Amino acid sequence: MKKLSARRRHPLAAVVVLLLALAATGGLYAAFAPAGNAQADETAQSLAIDEGKKLYTVGCASCHGTGGQGTTDGPSLVGVGSAAVDFQVATGRMPAQQPGAQVPKKPVIYTQAEIDQLAAYVASLGAGPITPTDKQVDPAGADVAKGGELFRNNCAQCHNFTGKGGALTKGKYAPDLEGVSPKHIYEAMQTGPQSMPSFPDTTMPEQEKKDIIAYIQTVNGEESESPGGLALGGLGPVSEGLFAWIFGLGSLVAVAVWVAAHTAKAKKS
């Protein structure tokens, strides 16, 4: 009887064993599952870089060099980041048709998947601005008034007050921002393409970029009204008043001269 009682287990022993088994199973999952996911992500990224390198060799290397180091026909791409690639290629600016003062926007020749692969390869050459997510560029709930203030202080000198664009020096120009996607506006602020300065998050935080995007979309939206009638590029009341003065008064002078000339002819006859 004593031997049997010595072998008898405690009622909670089975529960303890079950908990230990579950803990061991969870520990194994925590040890192996994340590593497996990370390995899968790393493999997918490696494949994207490999495919991007192939696309780069065919469409970009002739100007930017076989390793992105740059040539006399194109700047170095080391450190420009995936955001710069997405902006330039997804707006059709790259590949460029020919050298010039500024590369214009044109139809896109790559799919978004191919653009992502190109961006992955260029990003592997050196750290740089990362392509923003949909959440980062979503202007929902942004402060439009604050965005207008930021835009007038930082952008209106080139793009004018409502983002209609304008001429710069040496054949360059600030493009019209109407219809430009929030993602590309955000990337332009990140990377500073063409003559534009860059505004990294350390200079202009993510929320301020959203405010600017919201302002641009609001002033160029279908619901936006121009009480002055013809917008004239949104240059403001001074230039619009000057336009009205010169052309309006000029037209009146021309009409007066025409009337006077015909009156004089009528009197002679």
Side-chain angles (χ1 to χ4, degrees):
M1 294 295 292
K2 291 183 179 180
K3 291 183 179 180
L4 290 174
S5 60
R7 293 178 181 178
R8 189 176 298 167
R9 295 180 179 178
H10 194 278
L12 296 179
V15 177
V16 172
V17 171
L18 179 61
L19 290 175
L20 289 174
L22 291 174
T25 304
L28 290 173
Y29 177 81
F32 292 104
N37 293 338
Q39 187 175 3
D41 292 341
E42 185 177 350
T43 302
Q45 183 69 8
S46 298
L47 290 173
I49 291 172
D50 291 340
E51 293 300 318
K53 185 175 182 179
K54 296 176 184 177
L55 293 168
Y56 176 89
T57 301
V58 174
C60 314
S62 59
C63 292
H64 295 285
T66 55
Q69 74 276 11
T71 68
T72 54
D73 295 324
S76 171
L77 298 182
V78 178
V80 301
S82 59
V85 177
D86 188 82
F87 174 82
Q88 296 288 351
V89 181
T91 60
R93 290 177 167 86
M94 290 290 160
Q97 290 179 334
Q98 60 185 12
Q102 184 162 325
V103 180
K105 183 179 179 180
K106 51 187 191 300
V108 183
I109 65 173
Y110 290 101
T111 65
Q112 187 58 52
E114 291 173 330
I115 293 170
D116 293 340
Q117 291 169 350
L118 271 172
Y121 170 68
V122 173
S124 71
L125 302 177
I130 301 172
T131 305
T133 63
D134 293 338
K135 183 179 180 181
Q136 284 179 290
V137 303
D138 184 7
D143 190 337
V144 176
K146 179 65 175 178
E149 180 183 350
L150 291 166
F151 187 88
R152 288 187 292 273
N153 289 335
N154 297 283
C155 316
Q157 297 88 336
C158 298
H159 292 281
N160 84 50
F161 299 101
T162 57
K164 296 298 183 182
L168 302 176
T169 59
K170 299 181 180 181
K172 298 180 180 181
Y173 59 91
D176 185 357
L177 300 180
E178 184 176 0
V180 180
S181 71
K183 180 183 181 183
H184 294 153
I185 295 175
Y186 194 103
E187 289 172 340
M189 288 188 280
Q190 276 185 306
T191 62
Q194 308 290 347
S195 300
M196 181 175 170
S198 61
F199 297 91
D201 289 345
T202 53
T203 302
M204 181 178 288
E206 179 181 310
Q207 184 57 50
E208 292 186 354
K209 290 186 177 73
K210 288 185 177 183
D211 294 340
I212 290 177
I213 292 171
Y215 169 75
I216 294 172
Q217 289 187 329
T218 300
V219 297
N220 290 293
E222 295 181 356
E223 298 180 358
S224 178
E225 297 181 359
S226 177
L230 185 62
L232 299 177
L235 297 177
V238 175
S239 58
E240 293 174 3
L242 182 63
F243 179 90
W245 177 263
I246 293 175
F247 288 92
L249 185 60
S251 300
L252 291 176
V253 170
V255 171
V257 170
W258 183 86
V259 170
H262 283 70
T263 302
K265 288 181 180 180
K267 287 183 179 180
K268 287 181 180 180
S269 61

